[in-house]
Amino acid sequence: AEINAIALAGITKGCNPPTNDRYCLTANVTRGQFAAMIVRAFGFTERAADPFRDDDGSIFEADIERLFASGITKGCNPPANDRYCEDLFLTRGQAAAMFVRAFGYTDDGGGDLFDDDDGSVFEADIDRLATAGVTKGCNPSEGNTRFCPDALITRGQIAAFLARAFNL
C-alpha cells in the first residue's frame, strides 16, 4: 500500500528505467535516489550553486542541489561537507536525520526510545522520527525495541517512511 501511495503521489518512478514497472522492495536506497524522492515529494525548485564537488554530471545533480538548498542535507564528509556521495547507500540513521530536517520534527517523546541507538549521532533524530509516527523500529517480531541506525535502508522502508510522513 505504501509503495502504491508514493508512486501515485509521484514520489517514486520505480527501479528499472525507462520502463519503471518494478519497485525493488528489498534493494537499498542510494543517497542520490533519496535526494530525488524527497525533492519530488516536496516539489523543491530552488537549487544551490554546485555545493558538492562529486556530483557534476550526475542524473541526480539537480535533485542534490535542491536538497542542499532546502537545508535537508549537509554532505557526507564532515566537517568539510563538500561531497554528497550519491552512490553510497543511505543508512537508517542518515535517513532519520534528513527526514527530521525535511519535516521539522522537534518532539523526541522523552528520548531514548530504542535500545540500540545510545551514543549514535542520530539518536535525537531517531527519537523525533519515532515520536512523529514515521518509524516503528527495525525488529517488529521483537517489539520494535531497536532502530538499527547503521543498517542500510531499503526501498520498502523508505516507502513506509514517506507514506507515513505524508499521511498517504
Side-chain angles (χ1 to χ4, degrees), residues 15-128:
C15 66
N16 60 327
T19 309
N20 285 324
D21 60 353
R22 295 179 50 221
Y23 185 72
C24 303
L25 178 73
T26 60
N28 295 318
V29 177
T30 68
R31 290 173 57 88
Q33 292 167 339
F34 181 77
M37 288 179 186
I38 293 296
V39 166
R40 285 187 209 118
F42 280 95
F44 293 136
T45 57
E46 182 182 338
R47 288 173 72 170
D50 202 21
F52 302 112
R53 61 182 169 91
D54 66 341
D55 66 348
D56 294 343
S58 162
I59 63 168
F60 297 115
E61 184 175 11
D63 294 316
I64 293 166
E65 290 172 355
R66 288 180 177 108
L67 197 67
F68 179 83
S70 72
I72 295 172
T73 190
K74 298 177 181 178
C76 67
N77 60 327
N81 283 325
D82 60 354
R83 295 177 49 229
Y84 182 73
C85 304
E86 70 174 84
D87 294 326
L88 291 182
F89 292 120
L90 190 69
T91 68
R92 289 174 54 88
Q94 291 166 341
M98 288 198 248
F99 266 88
V100 166
R101 288 185 208 121
F103 287 90
Y105 299 135
T106 57
D107 184 359
D108 69 359
D112 203 24
L113 302 180
F114 296 100
D115 297 339
D116 67 339
D117 63 353
D118 293 344
S120 169
V121 67
F122 301 114
E123 183 175 11
D125 294 318
I126 292 165
D127 290 338
R128 290 179 185 114

Side-chain angles (χ1 to χ4, degrees), residues 1-9 11-12 23 25 155-156 158-164 167-168:
E2 288 105 349
I3 295 166
N4 288 334
I6 68 169
L8 289 172
I11 296 171
T12 187
Y23 185 72
L25 178 73
R155 290 175 58 88
I158 279 289
F161 282 21
L162 287 164
R164 290 179 196 136
N167 295 312
L168 298 176

